[in-house]
Amino acid sequence: MKKYFKIALYLAIIGLIAVVSVNYYVKSSTKKYIHYSIKKFPKNDVGIIFGAGINGNQPSKYLKDRLDAGIMLWKAKRINKILLSGDNGREEYDELTVMKNYCFNHGVDTTKIFIDYAGFDTYSTMYRAKHIFKIKKATLISQEYHLNRAIYIGQKLGIKSAGYSANKGEYLGYNYVCFREYGSVFKSFFDVLRNREPRFLGREININGESNYSKEDKR
């Protein structure tokens, strides 16, 4: 019994070292691409906003701040188009409708809004941005805790990525999501390594073509 306990302990220590090492590598290689101010912020054609939860037909604080940051960058002409990526897999939970309505209600030209209806996780969003929307360069808009992973995945998939921090005030459970991110970064490292293909791909929607924002959807 003692022998198995030692083996389990050694494996746990090795696993912990691996997780910490991968996180250090990802964060140290991407931190220079994260921006906190619009001053000297590089212009990009496309800004990608990641889903982050909704409360009924309203965005969560995480999502609202991401949307506000993306809208601000669009109005400041730091990005020309917005790609909204989130989860609308269930009738009762539709991030994309909430996100697109929020952008529409805050003055964004709907011909400049593109919708990724299968952005179920960060890797899927970035993979589909590359292979479905044919994006080569992008501004990634999210909270700071999430940007290292998003930028890392983007760079490895061939999207030249810069991040804009949407942090504004305090967030419920922020320490928890920062802790959970260690595991998410570790998983993403291996997703990239094995070139994981998302469950849903679908037809190509070129970001330089006509927007797939549907005017028939509820507002």
Side-chain angles (χ1 to χ4, degrees):
M1 194 73 178
K2 192 175 180 181
K3 176 186 173 183
Y4 291 120
F5 175 76
K6 281 187 176 180
I7 291 171
L9 181 62
Y10 290 146
L11 288 174
I13 292 170
I14 291 168
L16 181 61
I17 291 170
V19 170
V20 170
S21 299
V22 166
N23 272 267
Y24 176 79
Y25 165 66
V26 169
K27 289 176 181 178
S28 62
S29 64
T30 56
K31 62 182 179 181
K32 65 183 176 182
Y33 300 110
I34 298 177
H35 300 260
Y36 303 90
S37 168
I38 199 167
K39 292 178 182 176
K40 298 182 179 178
F41 187 77
K43 287 185 179 180
N44 259 330
D45 187 41
V46 184
I48 299 176
I49 303 177
F50 302 83
I54 55 175
N55 301 311
N57 63 352
Q58 296 297 318
S60 67
K61 175 164 172 55
Y62 285 90
L63 183 53
K64 178 183 181 300
D65 288 351
R66 293 179 188 186
L67 291 165
D68 285 341
I71 293 166
M72 181 270 293
L73 290 173
W74 181 79
K75 288 182 176 178
K77 301 189 186 306
R78 291 299 195 277
I79 55 176
N80 299 320
K81 300 164 191 164
I82 295 174
L83 173 62
L84 302 174
S85 184
D87 182 354
N88 76 326
R90 306 187 305 278
E91 182 66 33
E92 71 278 8
Y93 187 86
D94 184 355
E95 285 185 332
L96 272 309
T97 295
V98 172
M99 292 168 77
K100 66 198 282 188
N101 289 349
Y102 191 92
C103 289
F104 171 78
N105 291 330
H106 286 79
V108 181
D109 180 354
T110 58
T111 67
K112 302 298 183 182
I113 299 174
F114 288 74
I115 314 293
D116 174 12
Y117 289 100
F120 297 115
D121 58 36
T122 303
Y123 182 86
S124 296
T125 292
M126 298 311 297
Y127 190 100
R128 288 171 53 79
K130 173 70 176 178
H131 295 278
I132 300 298
F133 292 90
K134 303 299 178 184
I135 295 172
K136 296 177 180 177
K137 283 178 63 181
T139 293
L140 312 184
I141 302 155
S142 187
Q143 277 74 24
E144 184 180 2
Y145 81 90
H146 176 229
L147 283 174
N148 295 104
R149 172 162 55 108
I151 292 168
Y152 176 78
I153 295 169
Q155 302 279 31
K156 291 298 181 181
L157 292 178
I159 300 174
K160 188 176 179 183
S161 303
Y164 188 84
S165 173
N167 280 61
K168 191 174 180 182
E170 295 184 359
Y171 296 94
L172 185 67
Y174 195 74
N175 289 337
Y176 170 71
V177 296
C178 288
F179 175 76
R180 190 183 63 181
E181 189 66 10
Y182 279 90
S184 299
V185 167
F186 191 67
K187 179 182 180 297
S188 294
F189 178 81
F190 288 98
D191 283 341
V192 167
L193 211 57
R194 66 189 180 93
N195 196 32
R196 174 172 73 86
E197 189 172 291
R199 184 178 172 188
F200 299 103
L201 283 174
R203 65 181 180 87
E204 180 183 313
I205 305 166
N206 196 311
I207 201 73
N208 295 313
E210 186 179 348
S211 164
N212 67 331
Y213 184 108
S214 171
K215 293 177 176 60
E216 283 71 47
D217 285 351
K218 57 184 180 293
R219 287 206 175 97

